[in-house]
Amino acid sequence: MQLADRTHAILPSATLKMAGRAKEMQAQGKNILNMSAGEPDFDTPDFVKDAAVAALKRGETKYTPVLGTVALRKAIAARIEQDYGIKAPIDQIIVGTGGKQVLFNAIVCLLNPGDEAVFGAPYWVSYVDMVRFAGGNPVVVPCPGDFLLRAADMEKVFTPKTRLLIISSPSNPAGAVYSRQELQDIAALLRNYPDIFVITDDIYSGLTYDEPFASLLHVAPDLVNRVLIATGVSKTYAMTGWRIGYGIGPKPLIAAMDNIQAASTSGACSIAQAAAHGALTGDQKPIEQMVTEFRKRRDRMVNGIQSIPNVTLYPPKGAFYVFPKIDAYFTAAVPDSQSLSEYLLEKAYIATVPGSAFGLEGYIRLSFACSDADIDEAIVRLQKGLLSL
Ligand SMILES: Cc1ncc(COP(=O)(O)O)c(C=O)c1O
């Protein structure tokens, strides 16, 4: 059978392969500790579930507008005004099936074949696939150390073909967070490059532990016509399975995304939109408690990892991952992060994600979206596994 060329743009995921192997081993009765999760372990709060049940009972079971229900977009507008100080009319807001669909549609709408999209590594895996799928070229800048792509390094890779910059803070996989000064430097640079559009992937904005969340538009509201904020309820409200994300951006882009979404999936699930409305408008106490718990786990995980000899860790300031440097343990038989992750799974019964999956060799990602007991056990298994190499 002959498949279209574009199907080759997306490579098989190393992450899914590891997750599949971990499941296989669990099915064989092996006690695998899964530290590779990309979602909060908390249940969706009850007040959010109640909003979904109420919508079901009201019979909100029909198609919604492609851009999303008016009620949800109004709630998003109110939240964006509160969190970013930006007034967004509801025709500049699109609700999608997860933040992922919003990012995918935006990238497809922004890039022509051959256009370049710049972002730092480690990156969220899907950026590469989405850019390639759109026919664009990912231009990836390695950012070891504290994992932030700063203005000076961006400028070195900007070319006349650069059309898009993607920045994400807090980031996946490193939990790296930009300071306001770093964002101001990026804004100053972007003012010299009027043809470059920016996506700020703010999906982890609700999960910061050391300083208040800041995004590009906080420090540079003058760039509002060149920025799409891509975010959603998945991580902050423990709603990954509900699949609701949203984008806030310039009208022509949102209109183009509306067309693409109309041709593919239409409006997101009506019940999930009602749940997201409940999440954004309800009592935020349970969310604050979740953040407090994540902060404690972050500290526990960081202390544990930093106690392992020859492992270095730049502590995350947000999200729920650590990204330690483990290359001191590479050997002839285990020469890279992929083989190290496989080794840790097979021999230490701990599932991690190799740094190479995020474009940066020498690291692995562990999630701390799990219990304290699992964090403690993960540290023990990781240390034992590494020291046996
Ligand atoms: C950096 C980043 N952006 C976007 C997403 C997409 O989130 P959603 O589950 O809302 O599609 C994820 C999910 O893992 C992510 O890690």
Side-chain angles (χ1 to χ4, degrees):
M1 173 180 181
Q2 200 172 342
L3 294 173
D5 292 346
R6 76 176 69 83
T7 58
H8 306 306
I10 297 178
L11 302 172
S13 151
T15 323
L16 289 184
K17 193 179 144 205
M18 286 286 294
R21 177 72 189 128
K23 283 218 171 86
E24 216 175 87
M25 292 174 71
Q26 272 167 339
Q28 290 161 0
K30 295 189 173 131
N31 169 15
I32 303 295
L33 199 51
N34 185 6
M35 306 305 281
S36 69
E39 57 189 346
D41 55 323
F42 298 102
D43 194 7
T44 302
D46 281 340
F47 74 94
V48 176
K49 292 182 184 172
D50 292 345
V53 171
L56 258 178
K57 294 212 164 130
R58 283 195 304 269
E60 291 180 17
T61 55
K62 308 285 193 238
Y63 290 132
T64 72
V66 176
L67 287 179
T69 63
V70 170
L72 177 55
R73 282 183 292 143
K74 280 188 175 164
I76 294 168
R79 179 56 72 84
I80 291 297
E81 186 170 0
Q82 182 189 319
D83 288 356
Y84 292 79
I86 297 167
K87 275 193 191 304
I90 63 165
D91 59 356
Q92 289 186 220
I93 297 173
I94 185 165
V95 176
T97 301
K100 200 173 222 178
Q101 187 184 31
V102 171
L103 287 161
F104 183 92
N105 287 351
I107 289 172
V108 166
C109 289
L110 288 166
L111 295 181
N112 274 318
D115 287 347
E116 292 173 356
V118 170
F119 44 91
Y123 47 70
W124 182 49
V125 194
S126 299
Y127 299 150
V128 173
D129 293 330
M130 291 174 183
V131 168
R132 288 213 181 105
F133 191 85
N137 293 327
V139 175
V140 176
V141 187
C143 300
D146 66 3
F147 314 117
L148 289 173
L149 175 54
R150 293 191 169 75
D153 294 318
M154 269 172 204
E155 189 165 24
K156 288 185 199 146
V157 299
F158 282 175
T159 75
K161 287 188 168 172
T162 310
R163 281 287 162 276
L164 177 62
L165 170 71
I166 306 176
I167 54 182
S168 179
S169 173
S171 75
N172 174 7
V177 168
Y178 281 107
S179 69
R180 292 180 82 89
Q181 183 58 54
E182 284 154 351
L183 292 168
Q184 269 159 12
D185 295 344
I186 293 171
L189 174 69
L190 287 167
R191 290 188 188 105
N192 300 329
Y193 291 88
D195 294 335
I196 299 180
F197 192 86
V198 188
I199 295 178
T200 63
D201 179 351
D202 294 351
I203 195 88
Y204 292 98
S205 59
L207 302 175
T208 56
Y209 308 126
D210 300 327
E211 52 211 68
F213 167 68
S215 187
L216 189 64
L217 288 181
H218 284 111
V219 302
D222 57 305
L223 297 181
V224 71
N225 291 326
R226 297 173 50 191
V227 175
L228 177 83
I229 299 169
T231 183
V233 291
S234 300
K235 314 286 178 174
T236 308
Y237 293 93
M239 291 178 68
T240 47
W242 298 77
R243 310 308 302 129
I244 296 292
Y246 32 90
I248 301 91
K251 209 167 164 179
L253 174 60
I254 299 298
M257 291 168 68
D258 186 4
N259 275 340
I260 296 272
Q261 197 164 301
S264 54
T265 58
S266 298
C269 165
S270 58
I271 305 303
Q273 288 191 65
H277 178 269
L280 293 176
T281 55
D283 177 12
Q284 302 298 298
K285 276 251 159 49
I287 311 310
E288 287 160 24
Q289 282 159 2
M290 195 165 78
V291 174
T292 303
E293 183 58 30
F294 271 138
R295 185 182 292 110
K296 279 196 226 145
R297 294 177 185 181
R298 187 270 314 255
D299 294 343
R300 196 177 190 100
M301 183 67 127
V302 168
N303 287 336
I305 299 260
Q306 287 182 332
S307 71
I308 303 176
N310 300 316
V311 171
T312 47
L313 173 64
Y314 191 85
K317 294 181 174 171
F320 37 72
Y321 314 102
V322 287
F323 198 58
K325 192 164 190 290
I326 39 64
D327 57 350
Y329 288 95
F330 288 171
T331 64
V334 180
D336 53 27
S337 57
Q338 174 73 32
S339 52
L340 187 86
S341 274
E342 283 166 14
Y343 163 87
L344 289 171
L345 181 59
E346 300 294 333
K347 302 284 186 244
Y349 287 7
I350 170 171
T352 60
V353 187
S356 55
F358 307 101
L360 200 66
E361 193 43 270
Y363 298 79
I364 53 171
R365 189 192 79 176
L366 292 91
S367 163
F368 52 85
C370 59
S371 67
D372 284 355
D374 279 359
I375 292 175
D376 294 347
E377 179 62 18
I379 306 293
V380 170
R381 291 191 193 186
L382 181 63
Q383 167 147 346
K384 217 167 145 198
L386 291 176
L387 292 178
S388 320
L389 272 163

